Every structure is written in structure tokens, then in C-alpha cells.
Amino acid sequence: NSLSSLFQVVHAHKPHFMALHCQEFGGKNYEASMSHVDKFVKELLSSDAMKDYNRARVYLDENYKSQEHFTALGSFYFLHESLKNIYQFDFKAKKYKKVTGKEIYSDTLESTPMLEKEKFPQDYFPECKWSRKGFIRTRWCITDCAFDLVNIHLFHDASNLIAWETSPSVYSGIRHKALGYVLDRIIDQRFEKVSYFVFGDFNFRLDAKAVVETLCAKATMQTIRAADTNEVVKLIFRESDNDRKVMLQLEKKLFDYFNQDVFRDNNGTALLEFDRELSVFKDRLYELDISFPPSYPYSEDSSQGRQYMNTRCPAWCDRILMSHSAKELILKSENDEKIVIYDHIGPNVCMGDHKPVFLSFRIAAGAGKPIANVHKCCVVQ
């Protein structure tokens, strides 16, 4: 059960402030699965594992009938009873308000001033008319340290064949544009600048052309075209000798490589050099070293927790990124014990097609002081 894997992580790290960001909440066929969403939320809020979290804020975009606003994002925030004085920012009133009790907002997030939500403009990804990609942002203040938490979902690769054509791919360009839009939005002039963490499904993919050239360096390629339209529908890469064994088959939604171990051995580290989409943002975003295998696309067969599906090239889609000022907030450990942990959840358990990732760290008391001394959160309301 994916919740019990989550609770194990909560139990191991005992966070005082816990943020959980979900994308595609309710799955692809939204109307049919909405009841499961409510059950999941109830279970999360009432479970024994979460009993010491006496305050919560849950923001669920469930308004699936609104094509122009619906993002299917879900953001959950839990506050441990030992944590005193937490404030959340009201974007309309432009002031911090003390967080008390448990509150769930769903259906129309547009009307709550405690967050900003935006769906990307339709023309960003014209081939996908029902795209739900967008972001939700909330702002918090703990011990005089203010920061934004942004739940993000960027555009996917619609076709493996198109992704393979150019390096970087056309899809990579679309994600680049959308992420730039979000970063510009959260540091614009409307509100004071604070540190930020952006986490969710970035859909970052490996550079398909470079990966295929490396994995199939000694292979010959056969191109199969549709009889009627002459468009390429399949590429088959075979070993030149060895009985012309098939190494890789590539179709719009097929990435069938003969040896999945390459994605799992040593956490797939050999492929990290092809994970290039973040490099464009290195001046704006920081990420800890990745030491977990590609987070997507896992088999949804509950007995195959470690198996990838042969639909896409495995990639690190799910990430936790931060501003350079946020990096400074993360407590530097005094005696080199590992206090900052960036890892995935449920390595051997079926968690759906994406394995969730988590970041656990401590904020040093007063860490935000140099950038946040103007907040004086505690005098507000």
C-alpha cells in the first residue's frame, strides 16, 4: 500500500512540517475515481501515523468541469503539535495569518486567498487539448523564516519518436518555457521575494537521441513506415552480429530496451549525464545529488514494484528543486551525520507509475533572518 510506504518515511524522519505534493490527483478518468480521492484524503488525515499533526491544510483542485482552470493538483501540509507559531501568507491581504486547525479546500481553489494557482496557457502544448498542467503556490513562515512551496506539473513527451528526432527535444523546449514562466511568476514584483522550493512532476526526460545512440552504439537501425501515409511508425535497433538480436524497439508509446538493468544498476547513475533539462536553470535552481533510480514509468502491476513499463525511456521526472537562497536555509550538519536526505519512497512497492521522491532537512532556527528580518511574522494578526 502506497500510504503505508509514505507513513514509514514519516515515522523514520518525524518531520515537524510536512508538505506533500500530488499531481494528476484522481487519475486520468477523473469523474470515476473522485470517490477514491475522498477516501485517500480521509485516510491520510485520520490515520494513526499522522495523529501528532494537529494542524493541516489541504488544497485539492477537484473542479474537473472547468477546462480553463483544472490542474488536478493536490497540495497537503501537516504541522506537528510541537511546532509553535506557524503562519501562512494571504496573497490578497498581503499578510501572514496564524495556522490553526485542519482545513480542506477543494472544488474551487480560485476563491481562497491562501494560494496562487495557474494552469499553463493552452498554446504552450497545443497538441494536448485537455492538458491539466500548471502550478499551485503557497507561502509559509516558520521561526521568522519565510519560503514558498510550489507544486508543479510540467508537460510530458507525447511521442517517443518525436522526442528522438532532435536533441534537445521539442518537448524539452516546451517544459523549459513553462518552468521559466513559473519561476518568473514567483519572483515577480507583486510580493516580497523569499526562498522557494519547487517540487512535483517536472516530466524531465533523458535526452532521447543521446541515450539511444549510447545504448545502441553498435546497432543497426531499421525504419518501419505506415503503408498509407509513409510516416515512421517504428524503429528497430539490432545488434550487427549476435544473430541480429533486437536491442531496442521504439514506437510512439513503446520504448522496449532488452536490458532494464541499465536503468536500475547503481540507481541508473550511468544515465544521469543524459538528464540535461535542468542545466538551463542552473543559475536559478539548485538540486541535491540524485542517488535514486529513474522515478518513471514504473509498472502498475502491484507485484512488480521494481519493474519499469516499456512505454517510455525511464527518467527522473519527479524532483525537488530550490532557489539558491533556499539551499542556504537547509541546515549544514555540524558533525557530518546525514541530516539532509533526498531519496525515493517505496523502492520495492508498487506506488503507481511514478515513484514519489522526498527531501528531508532541518531549517536552522533564525536561518532566514538575513533575508526575512522584515517579516516580523509574529506581529501580524
Side-chain angles (χ1 to χ4, degrees):
N1 174 313
S2 54
L3 267 179
S4 58
S5 298
L6 171 69
F7 294 150
Q8 281 169 6
V9 172
V10 173
H11 183 71
H13 298 278
K14 300 184 173 53
H16 287 173
F17 180 91
M18 174 178 150
L20 174 66
H21 285 177
C22 304
Q23 302 78 39
E24 284 299 357
F25 214 73
K28 300 279 190 273
N29 48 348
Y30 215 80
E31 299 178 47
S33 55
M34 238 22 247
S35 59
H36 299 301
V37 169
D38 296 335
K39 182 170 169 270
F40 174 85
V41 174
K42 282 195 181 72
E43 205 174 322
L44 196 53
L45 285 167
S46 64
S47 85
D48 196 46
M50 303 299 289
K51 68 178 186 303
D52 296 336
Y53 294 84
N54 60 351
R55 289 150 292 170
R57 291 293 179 272
V58 177
Y59 303 102
L60 299 177
D61 190 357
E62 295 187 340
N63 189 13
Y64 56 83
K65 295 197 172 71
S66 164
Q67 203 185 330
E68 64 198 285
H69 293 303
F70 182 49
T71 62
L73 293 171
S75 297
F76 298 74
Y77 304 99
F78 300 94
L79 284 64
H80 194 272
E81 59 193 16
S82 63
L83 199 55
K84 302 286 177 272
N85 298 345
I86 288 246
Y87 299 84
Q88 191 185 356
F89 192 64
D90 179 321
F91 288 98
K92 299 266 185 311
K94 294 195 177 185
K95 51 173 77 156
Y96 287 91
K97 295 183 171 167
K98 192 164 183 171
V99 181
T100 57
K102 295 182 179 180
E103 295 174 6
I104 299 176
Y105 298 85
S106 62
D107 221 18
T108 49
L109 295 187
E110 278 65 45
S111 57
T112 169
M114 307 311 284
L115 57 83
E116 287 198 322
K117 184 186 86 141
E118 224 174 307
K119 184 174 151 169
F120 294 118
Q122 194 59 61
D123 59 4
Y124 271 39
F125 202 65
E127 66 197 77
C128 188
K129 158 162 144 290
W130 289 99
S131 172
R132 295 181 280 272
K133 311 299 194 286
F135 71 94
I136 287 179
R137 164 204 203 179
T138 53
R139 177 170 288 192
W140 304 82
C141 186
I142 304 177
T143 61
D144 277 351
C145 177
F147 51 87
D148 279 350
L149 298 179
V150 182
N151 184 351
I152 194 167
H153 193 185
L154 296 182
F155 302 99
H156 58 283
D157 279 16
S159 161
N160 291 326
L161 293 168
I162 292 173
W164 173 83
E165 282 170 2
T166 53
S167 170
S169 79
V170 54
Y171 304 117
S172 169
I174 296 168
R175 288 188 282 271
H176 177 187
K177 179 178 166 186
L179 181 52
Y181 176 87
V182 175
L183 297 182
D184 290 344
R185 187 88 181 125
I186 61 179
I187 60 163
D188 65 14
Q189 299 307 308
R190 294 165 305 143
F191 308 106
E192 184 186 358
K193 283 190 175 59
V194 300
S195 300
Y196 55 83
F197 296 85
V198 186
F199 52 111
D201 178 7
F202 292 83
N203 260 315
F204 289 160
R205 306 300 169 102
L206 304 185
D207 185 321
K209 198 162 190 57
V211 166
V212 170
E213 282 167 2
T214 302
L215 293 179
C216 303
K218 297 187 169 63
T220 51
M221 184 178 85
Q222 175 189 359
T223 305
I224 296 170
R225 297 174 182 271
D228 46 353
T229 61
N230 206 34
E231 72 168 321
V232 176
V233 291
K234 186 171 193 168
L235 301 173
I236 302 175
F237 296 83
R238 298 174 190 273
E239 289 191 34
S240 315
D241 39 25
N242 197 15
D243 290 338
R244 315 229 342 103
K245 179 178 153 195
V246 173
M247 298 180 74
L248 172 69
Q249 298 183 70
L250 203 63
E251 292 174 21
K252 181 181 177 180
K253 293 193 171 174
L254 178 74
F255 186 98
D256 189 358
Y257 187 63
F258 78 105
N259 175 22
Q260 269 202 13
D261 289 343
V262 68
F263 304 110
R264 287 190 288 256
D265 287 350
N266 195 17
N267 292 321
T269 309
L271 297 165
L272 271 171
E273 62 170 301
F274 304 112
D275 175 76
R276 297 170 178 168
E277 295 195 30
L278 194 54
S279 59
V280 188
F281 293 97
K282 63 178 182 296
D283 296 340
R284 306 179 74 175
L285 289 168
Y286 172 77
E287 180 178 32
L288 288 150
D289 290 339
I290 290 177
S291 57
F292 48 87
S295 64
Y296 170 86
Y298 279 91
S299 165
E300 296 186 89
D301 175 340
S302 60
S303 65
Q304 299 279 334
R306 287 171 52 81
Q307 189 73 18
Y308 288 106
M309 279 192 286
N310 292 328
T311 49
R312 306 283 183 207
C313 176
W316 288 273
C317 291
D318 306 274
R319 317 279 278 257
I320 298 174
L321 311 177
M322 65 196 82
S323 62
H324 288 282
S325 61
K327 175 179 98 175
E328 302 306 316
L329 291 180
I330 294 180
L331 187 67
K332 306 284 185 288
S333 63
E334 302 292 298
N335 48 5
D336 278 335
E337 61 176 308
K338 213 170 173 197
I339 293 180
V340 180
I341 298 168
Y342 184 33
D343 205 350
H344 63 324
I345 296 179
N348 303 311
V349 182
C350 177
M351 303 286 289
D353 57 348
H354 289 258
K355 282 269 192 251
V357 301
F358 75 94
L359 175 64
S360 167
F361 62 90
R362 298 172 60 182
I363 291 183
K369 279 288 194 321
I371 45 175
N373 55 2
V374 283
H375 290 295
K376 305 194 178 57
C377 298
C378 308
V379 299
V380 180
Q381 291 186 237

